[in-house]
């Protein structure tokens, strides 16, 4: 196994193929614009893509928030990145939070967001970049940019409609309202809602189930799910045929088939 990446504002663990990234800036509700969390996420995604020991990534927050997105006080007082001229702010987005979006989207293993509390603004969008979202009953979610007179500069307007549909995404983006965990479940934003004390256990159980599958097939399955959004069916089927040919030649496939045959013989 390659050594862990060096992180500033997060903690990373790895257990039986499940990597867990904990946002550890609960003092500022795990915000993105005033911390190194976004950069840490990029480092972890790059590390995972080069590390075959990882089968699944879980991301979650320390404290009462999953991720609060931007720092409103910095915006109000025009501090840090918000004090820059427009072109420098644009570059900060491109090299910061947008780099995070591309890294999470390009992650080769399943990503599970374990949403322990508020996920608002860029925090919601970060959750939407993941494949699966499990929410605590205390979770609150909102596409809140319009309330501040700004837009989702992290790509949220691309991710959100693909999860909840165009009409619901429009309502959330235009109203900027906060929704409960139960509403998020109804919208399809969350796969499940669990009591707060069960969030970590349920997320780990789901991750271990995925991580136990053949790793090559797991990564290729995720690649196919991503590619299906932008490819025409004939081209997509052609790619599937080629990748399936590769899968049929792997030791993982041979071992999985042998195990299945042994179970059927019992």
């Amino acid at each position: 196994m390659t050594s862990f990446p060096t992180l500033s504002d997060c903690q990373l663990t790895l257990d039986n193929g499940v990597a867990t990234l904990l946002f550890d800036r609960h003092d500022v509700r795990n915000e993105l614009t005033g911390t190194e969390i976004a950069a840490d996420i990029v480092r972890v995604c790059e590390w995972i893509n080069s590390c075959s020991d990882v089968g699944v990534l879980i991301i979650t927050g320390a404290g009462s928030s999953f991720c609060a997105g931007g720092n409103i006080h910095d915006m109000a007082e025009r501090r840090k990145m918000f004090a820059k001229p427009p072109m420098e702010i644009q570059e900060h987005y491109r090299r910061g939070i947008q780099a995070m979006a591309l890294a999470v989207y390009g992650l080769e293993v399943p990503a599970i967001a374990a949403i322990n509390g508020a996920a608002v603004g860029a925090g919601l969008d970060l959750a939407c970049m993941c494949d699966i979202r499990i929410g605590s009953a205390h979770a609150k979610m909102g596409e809140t940019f319009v309330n501040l007179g700004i837009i989702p500069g992290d790509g949220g307007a691309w991710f959100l409609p693909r999860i909840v549909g165009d009409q619901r995404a429009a309502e959330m983006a235009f109203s900027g309202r906060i929704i409960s965990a139960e509403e998020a479940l109804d919208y399809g934003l969350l796969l499940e809602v669990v009591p707060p004390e069960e969030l970590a256990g349920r997320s780990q159980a789901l991750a271990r189930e995925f991580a136990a599958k053949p790793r090559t097939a797991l990564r290729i399955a995720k690649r196919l799910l991503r590619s299906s959004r932008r490819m025409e069916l004939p081209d997509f089927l052609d790619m599937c045929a080629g990748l399936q040919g590769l899968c049929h030649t792997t030791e993982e496939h041979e071992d999985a088939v042998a195990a299945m045959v042994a179970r059927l013989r019992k």
Side-chain angles (χ1 to χ4, degrees):
M1 184 185 75
T2 57
S3 59
F4 281 10
T6 300
L7 305 179
S8 299
D9 287 333
C10 296
Q11 296 181 23
L12 178 65
T13 59
L14 179 62
D15 182 32
N16 290 323
V18 177
T20 301
L21 184 66
L22 176 71
F23 308 148
D24 200 19
R25 287 299 306 274
H26 53 89
D27 57 313
V28 288
R29 301 193 303 149
N30 301 317
E31 68 179 44
L32 294 171
T33 57
T35 70
E36 290 295 310
I37 290 176
D40 284 348
I41 291 171
V42 172
R43 295 183 190 105
V44 168
C45 289
E46 291 173 347
W47 171 73
I48 289 174
N49 286 352
S50 64
C51 180
S52 60
D53 294 315
V54 181
V56 180
L57 172 66
I58 297 173
I59 63 173
T60 193
S64 60
S65 294
F66 173 75
C67 179
N71 187 307
I72 296 175
H73 298 294
D74 287 347
M75 294 181 198
E77 298 173 19
R78 297 287 182 180
R79 298 185 307 208
K80 301 178 182 178
M81 66 170 285
F82 305 112
K84 308 290 185 181
M87 290 300 293
E88 290 188 34
I89 294 176
Q90 178 191 38
E91 195 64 16
H92 197 284
Y93 271 91
R94 290 180 62 242
R95 297 186 182 279
I97 203 166
Q98 291 183 356
M100 178 196 74
L102 291 170
V104 178
Y105 184 74
L107 185 65
E108 295 178 3
V109 304
I112 299 173
I115 303 172
N116 52 299
V120 295
L124 170 65
D125 295 341
L126 173 57
C128 290
M129 296 168 197
C130 297
D131 302 291
I132 291 173
R133 289 154 296 280
I134 307 293
S136 156
H138 291 168
K140 302 289 184 183
M141 309 176 77
E143 188 78 337
T144 54
F145 297 92
V146 72
N147 297 338
L148 302 174
I150 56 177
I151 57 150
D154 57 354
W158 190 90
F159 289 100
L160 186 61
R162 285 166 166 76
I163 297 170
V164 301
D166 291 341
Q167 182 170 241
R168 180 60 72 187
E171 186 274 328
M172 291 180 66
F174 299 160
S175 69
R177 69 187 181 92
I178 304 292
I179 65 173
S180 68
E182 289 301 328
E183 286 178 287
L185 180 66
D186 183 56
Y187 295 173
L189 262 175
L190 295 176
L191 178 68
E192 298 176 14
V193 174
V194 298
E197 65 274 13
E198 296 179 14
L199 178 64
R202 176 57 186 142
S203 301
Q204 287 286 335
L206 190 62
R208 287 195 297 270
E209 179 183 348
F210 296 162
K213 304 299 181 182
R215 298 280 170 81
T216 300
L218 191 68
R219 292 189 178 217
I220 291 177
K222 174 158 181 174
R223 192 187 311 173
L224 290 177
L225 289 170
R226 288 284 190 257
S227 298
S228 68
R229 297 174 175 176
R230 64 179 184 271
M231 296 180 70
E232 296 294 331
L233 181 60
D235 296 327
F236 182 72
L237 290 174
D238 188 54
M239 183 176 73
C240 289
L243 291 172
Q244 188 74 306
L246 293 175
C247 287
H248 277 296
T249 65
T250 64
E251 290 185 12
E252 289 180 348
H253 167 65
E254 294 177 2
D255 292 344
V257 170
M260 180 67 72
V261 169
R263 287 195 295 271
L264 292 174
R265 286 174 176 169
K266 291 182 179 178

